[in-house]
Amino acid sequence: MSHLRHIGAAIGTLVAILGSIMFISWKYFSGSRRHSEEEYSFLQESQPREKQILVLGLDGAGKSSILNCLATHTVKHSTSPTQGFNAVCIHTEGCKLNFLEIGGSCNLRSYWNLYLNKAHMLIYVVDSADQERLPLAGQELHRLLKEDLMLPLVLLANKQDLDGALSISGLHRKLLLHDLNYEQKLFLMATNVTEDGTQVPKNIHDVKELIIQLISQKR
């Protein structure tokens, strides 16, 4: 048992170090630098705008599968839960979207709020069919929103193709979204990434269009 405790402590330390490294990298690449007006004008014309998008949700919600669809336009049939961090970059016209997914296991959720102040948007993914853990998903979401009520939120009700999945209206009630005193844009969308499908579902394309539209409005 002592040996197992040492292993657990080592893993916890490794996750903490990795979290710190990712946090420093996130701040470095997304942080603003001071330039003269001439330099700033030149940079605006010569470089695409970069936007940071944070992707969160409990483990097993389907965050990685959705990101893979958004980035590659393909369906990945087998995706392991993210154990740490997953970064994905998508280039759009005049804008570079940097997605940072953080794993949803218990030991990683404490890091979530560290990344909010550098994000331009929050995507929160919920497993609509996992009704047992929906209260926990809602609790973690409300905890995040207490940190930043101004961050645009795209809430994805994922796995809508599974039996027992709650509808959009049912999920709205279950997550107590009516209790939110939210001061920024909030969108709730249904998604699914089918296990046997080869085509990316239309709802994933709709999500991507929404993200691009919302992020283009952020200055």
Side-chain angles (χ1 to χ4, degrees):
M1 290 297 292
S2 175
H3 180 62
L4 291 176
R5 282 197 297 269
H6 285 309
I7 293 176
I11 293 174
T13 302
L14 181 61
V15 169
I17 294 172
L18 180 59
S20 300
I21 293 173
M22 288 295 295
F23 183 49
I24 293 169
S25 301
W26 177 262
K27 292 188 69 174
Y28 176 78
F29 286 111
S30 63
S32 57
R33 296 174 57 193
R34 294 182 179 178
H35 299 280
S36 67
E37 290 185 8
E38 293 80 6
E39 288 175 320
Y40 183 68
S41 177
F42 173 76
L43 287 170
Q44 277 191 315
E45 293 175 1
S46 61
Q47 296 181 359
R49 292 179 301 146
E50 291 197 22
K51 300 293 183 179
Q52 319 300 324
I53 300 174
L54 193 56
V55 183
L56 302 176
L58 298 185
D59 49 306
K63 301 181 296 296
S64 298
S65 297
I66 290 175
L67 272 183
N68 179 75
C69 284
L70 290 174
T72 67
H73 306 287
T74 59
V75 175
K76 191 174 182 180
H77 298 287
S78 175
T79 303
S80 301
T82 300
Q83 299 300 322
F85 302 83
N86 177 32
V88 172
C89 179
I90 298 177
H91 291 269
T92 65
E93 186 175 349
C95 193
K96 179 183 177 184
L97 307 181
N98 296 317
F99 293 82
L100 178 64
E101 174 200 350
I102 305 177
S105 57
C106 183
N107 62 336
L108 287 171
R109 289 177 216 148
S110 59
Y111 293 101
W112 284 1
N113 62 318
L114 297 178
Y115 297 83
L116 287 173
N117 66 335
K118 288 299 178 181
H120 296 95
M121 176 187 294
L122 171 62
I123 296 177
Y124 194 82
V125 184
V126 175
D127 182 345
S128 306
D130 188 0
Q131 297 197 34
E132 184 178 342
R133 294 209 302 167
L134 280 178
L136 176 59
Q139 178 183 331
E140 293 292 346
L141 174 61
H142 284 260
R143 181 177 65 84
L144 284 170
L145 297 183
K146 285 180 182 178
E147 298 279 342
D148 190 342
L149 290 174
M150 297 301 294
L151 193 63
L153 169 64
V154 176
L155 181 57
L156 301 183
N158 198 30
K159 304 189 182 182
Q160 286 288 308
D161 54 325
L162 298 184
D163 293 337
L166 279 184
S167 64
I168 289 290
S169 58
L171 201 62
H172 191 280
R173 290 191 299 271
K174 193 76 172 179
L175 297 178
L176 304 178
L177 296 182
H178 55 276
D179 289 345
L180 285 178
N181 182 24
Y182 203 59
E183 301 176 19
Q184 189 49 284
K185 297 175 181 176
L186 187 156
F187 295 86
L188 179 56
M189 299 184 69
T191 58
N192 65 278
V193 180
T194 54
E195 294 181 358
D196 57 351
T198 55
Q199 252 186 340
V200 176
K202 183 182 181 300
N203 52 46
I204 298 294
H205 291 293
D206 293 339
V207 167
K208 186 172 183 177
E209 288 181 9
L210 174 64
I211 292 170
I212 294 172
Q213 181 181 352
L214 290 176
I215 215 72
S216 65
Q217 298 170 5
K218 296 286 291 180
R219 300 299 178 188

